[in-house]
Structure formats: C-alpha cells, structure tokens
Amino acid sequence: MGDIGQMDFISDLPQSIIENILTRLPIRDAVRTSILSSRWRYRWATISHLVFDENCVALSNERSLVKNSLVKFITRALFLHHGPIHKFQLSTTQLQCCPDIDQWILFLSRNDIRELVLELGEGEWFRVPSCLFYCRKLTRLELFRCEFDPPLAFKGFSCLKSLNFHRVLFAPEAIESLISSCPLLENLSLSYFDSLDLNICAPNLKYLCLEGEVKDICLENTPLLVSMSVAVYMTDDIAEHFEQSSSCNFIKFLGGVPLLEKLVGHIYFTKGPSNSVTAIEAYDSDFWEMKCPSDCSFKQLKLVKMTDISGVPHEMELIKFLLKNSPVLEIMSINPCAVVADRKLTMLIELLRFQRASAQAEIVFVEE
C-alpha cells in the first residue's frame, strides 16, 4: 500500500494523454506545467498547436512593457520548441508591425506550418513577409489588417483549404491569382474591401463569404459551392456602375452554382439621404430572366436569407426569380430595412403572389 501511495500518477500518464492536456491549455499555463515533475519539464515544447495572445503575459498599463514581454515570451517559446508546428495563431493589438513577426514566420516556414492566423489590431498595417509564401504545407491562412503582396514567382499554396482575409490590402489580380492557384480551396472569406472586381476560379470551393464594396464578381468555376453569403455596400460609384453596365458579371453568382443550398444576401446603401435608393431602380423588370441561362435551376437550394431589403424593383425581381427556379426551397427569409416601414404590408402582399417552384417554400417576413 505504501508503494501505491507514493506513485506519481501525473508523471506516469501516457505520452498521448499528456500531449492532449497540453494542447488544451492556454500556452502560458502549458509552459507552467514544467514545474509539475521532471517528466513534465519542457514537455510543452513539443506541442504542435501554438496560440498566443495578450493573456500570455502579465497585464500592465504600460503598452511598451506588455509588448516587450509578449515578444520575449513568443520568441523564447519558439526557440525552445522542437518538432513540427502545425498551427500558429497570434491575436493581439500590441504587436502591429513588430519586426519580430517576420522572424517568427521565417521560423514557422521551416517547421511544416499548416495553419497560420495573424489577427493584428489597429494602427499601421503589417506587411506580410516574403517567407510566408514558402509555407508550402499551409492548409489554413487567416490574415487581419495586413498587406498581402505575393512575389511574381509565387505559384500558390497547393494544400490550402481555407482562406480568410479581413481588412487585408491586396491587388485584385493578386487575389485572383492566389485563389486560382490553390486547387484544394474549399472555404473563402473576404471582408472589408473597396470596389472589388473579381473573377473566382475555384473548382473545389464549397463556402463563400464576401463583405465589402462589390463592383463585379464572376463565379467562373465554382461547381461545388453549397453556401454563399454576400454583404454588399452600395456607394454612388458602384450603383452607377450597375446602372450603366449591360454586361455586369454579378448575375453569374447564380448561373454556375448548381449545388447551392444556402444563400444569404445583405445590401447596405451608403448613399446620401437625398438619393435614397432610387439610383439603382433602373433595372429592366425581366433582368434576371434575360441574363441567366434559360435552364437555370437551383436544385439543391433550401434556404435563402435576404436582409435590409427596401422593395425596389430589382430586389423584388431577384426574389421572384429565386422562388420560381428553386424546386426544393424550404425557407425564403426577408428582412426589410427600416426606411420602408410605411410599405411593408404592400411588399409582403407582393411577395406572397410570386410563383413558387417548391410547394414547401415558406416566405418568412422577419422584422428585427
């Protein structure tokens, strides 16, 4: 019995369980496990998922002190680490444009990094270093408030499956080239960009999320797309472009997505009150019928959610077109914008009159 009482159960845990415990701990606590026993000393240095944020160091009112402490902590953690690093995530407002980040990414590029998340705060934009483009095994890349400018010799990320750019500065041709050179890409999210004019060629893409000022979007090759969310900010210039362009590619959002199951649309009008939304009411009443293929049918589409709808003709015609060409549709959710309070009932009556290809299709009028 004495021997049993003296057993060190923590030290005798199987290696797999120790690794599982360390992976689930915040990195600061994982480092502290070195004091548990000799068997645990520096065991944290083998974990393959590293997530750093401001909680890694002691809080202080002095920004420079927090910054220096955080840089030292991350640098030491990487210096002591051995083995592959599959995930590196940095979420902080303290290290914007810190030159040490370049060195960390260089280190990661040599350690089989697969998931890289840089979530940086306000201030000067961080320019992604060239060594990032040598991370050949990346499967997930998320950048927040960064400048993305790949070198001419860059051939893409052959293993990348998920790409998320939030407030990232890039040239449209650079992002087009990146998307088309990532053959395994399944999840694409681009948010907070200006006047984006983009052709998307991604044969394995399944989930698409766009938010910003959209000028023209063409889904050139996205046959597997099942879910799409688009939030469009309409400025005067963009609204004028839609008015005057007879060959707008925006309709190709619907022409090449045969497996689409979920469609969410938001339109935010950023025009002045004197213009309201009248500048984009010039669409022909049969615009969608004329522009989309005659055999266009959304055979998998079950859910459509449209928010901030004002009831102008082109919006109502799009809703009508979707209802008419979606044979398995279950829910069409409509959320009207605040400025049409006096005509909500008229809009609802008009919606209920539209022909539906699906007998199960239910129009839900949501008022938030």
Side-chain angles (χ1 to χ4, degrees):
M1 291 297 292
D3 292 339
I4 295 177
Q6 295 174 5
M7 287 180 63
D8 184 351
F9 291 103
I10 293 179
S11 295
D12 291 336
L13 286 173
Q15 173 70 13
S16 60
I17 294 180
I18 292 177
E19 290 180 355
N20 192 289
I21 293 173
L22 290 171
T23 300
R24 295 172 183 272
L25 289 174
I27 185 65
R28 187 181 183 185
D29 293 335
V31 171
R32 288 172 172 171
T33 61
S34 286
I35 67 173
L36 292 177
S37 73
S38 58
R39 281 201 64 195
W40 280 74
R41 186 168 176 79
Y42 293 118
R43 189 64 63 86
W44 63 269
T46 64
I47 58 178
S48 60
H49 287 52
L50 301 177
V51 178
F52 299 98
D53 56 28
E54 288 153 25
N55 295 320
C56 292
V57 296
L59 297 177
S60 172
N61 292 327
E62 294 187 32
R63 184 181 179 88
S64 60
L65 182 61
V66 174
K67 176 181 177 180
N68 292 336
S69 297
L70 187 55
V71 167
K72 289 179 181 178
F73 182 87
I74 297 174
T75 300
R76 184 171 183 269
L78 293 178
F79 178 77
L80 293 174
H81 192 277
H82 52 90
I85 299 176
H86 292 158
K87 177 181 178 179
F88 179 91
Q89 179 172 336
L90 176 62
S91 302
T92 178
T93 59
Q94 303 291 330
L95 302 181
Q96 194 70 25
C97 287
C98 173
D100 296 271
I101 300 178
D102 292 23
Q103 298 301 314
W104 299 338
I105 296 177
L106 177 60
F107 178 85
L108 295 169
S109 68
R110 299 167 177 171
N111 282 269
D112 296 334
I113 185 68
R114 297 177 186 175
E115 298 184 33
L116 178 63
V117 179
L118 297 180
E119 189 173 0
L120 305 176
E122 299 298 322
E124 194 175 348
W125 296 71
F126 172 71
R127 185 178 179 83
V128 173
S130 59
C131 55
L132 170 68
F133 303 102
Y134 293 94
C135 299
R136 304 299 186 188
K137 295 186 179 181
L138 273 181
T139 61
R140 174 188 173 201
L141 176 62
E142 296 191 14
L143 301 179
F144 296 71
R145 285 192 59 81
C146 296
E147 291 184 42
F148 184 84
D149 186 17
L152 293 176
F154 178 59
K155 301 300 182 182
F157 299 112
S158 60
C159 299
L160 196 70
K161 292 186 176 182
S162 180
L163 177 65
N164 182 358
F165 279 5
H166 181 84
R167 294 184 183 272
V168 173
L169 299 179
F170 55 77
E173 58 272 16
I175 195 66
E176 278 188 11
S177 177
L178 173 63
I179 294 171
S180 62
S181 58
C182 297
L184 300 184
L185 189 65
E186 296 180 354
N187 194 323
L188 173 62
S189 178
L190 305 175
S191 54
Y192 289 91
F193 45 76
D194 297 327
S195 301
L196 188 63
D197 188 342
L198 184 64
N199 289 331
I200 298 178
C201 180
N204 281 296
L205 190 66
K206 296 179 180 179
Y207 309 97
L208 174 64
C209 180
L210 299 174
E211 181 178 0
E213 294 179 8
V214 175
K215 190 173 183 180
D216 250 359
I217 297 291
C218 173
L219 298 182
E220 188 174 299
N221 181 17
T222 55
L224 301 184
L225 196 63
V226 296
S227 178
M228 180 164 58
S229 176
V230 184
V232 181
Y233 297 89
M234 297 292 282
T235 62
D236 287 331
D237 292 342
I238 294 177
E240 184 178 355
H241 168 80
F242 273 96
E243 261 191 286
Q244 297 177 353
S245 176
S246 61
S247 60
C248 177
N249 287 327
F250 198 72
I251 55 98
K252 292 187 179 179
F253 257 35
L254 302 178
V257 284
L259 300 183
L260 192 66
E261 297 178 6
K262 180 179 179 181
L263 173 63
V264 179
H266 311 260
I267 300 180
Y268 301 102
F269 295 98
T270 58
K271 302 167 64 61
S274 60
N275 292 325
S276 185
V277 296
T278 58
I280 57 171
E281 293 188 20
Y283 280 111
D284 294 330
S285 60
D286 57 352
F287 174 83
W288 295 99
E289 296 288 351
M290 292 191 305
K291 294 294 184 179
C292 284
S294 58
D295 60 347
C296 182
S297 179
F298 311 107
K299 298 179 180 179
Q300 306 294 327
L301 188 60
K302 296 181 180 180
L303 171 64
V304 175
K305 180 179 180 181
M306 304 186 72
T307 66
D308 294 283
I309 296 298
S310 58
V312 294
H314 75 281
E315 293 175 342
M316 300 300 284
E317 287 301 316
L318 172 57
I319 295 171
K320 181 180 180 180
F321 179 79
L322 290 171
L323 286 170
K324 184 180 178 181
N325 294 279
S326 305
V328 297
L329 186 69
E330 297 177 358
I331 296 178
M332 167 74 75
S333 175
I334 307 294
N335 173 225
C337 63
V339 298
V340 295
D342 58 336
R343 61 183 305 269
K344 289 180 181 178
L345 180 59
T346 303
M347 190 191 308
L348 178 58
I349 293 174
E350 185 177 357
L351 289 170
L352 293 175
R353 288 175 177 170
F354 288 160
Q355 177 185 346
R356 309 177 204 182
S358 170
Q360 290 75 38
E362 179 182 0
I363 297 178
V364 178
F365 208 63
V366 180
E367 297 188 63
E368 296 179 354

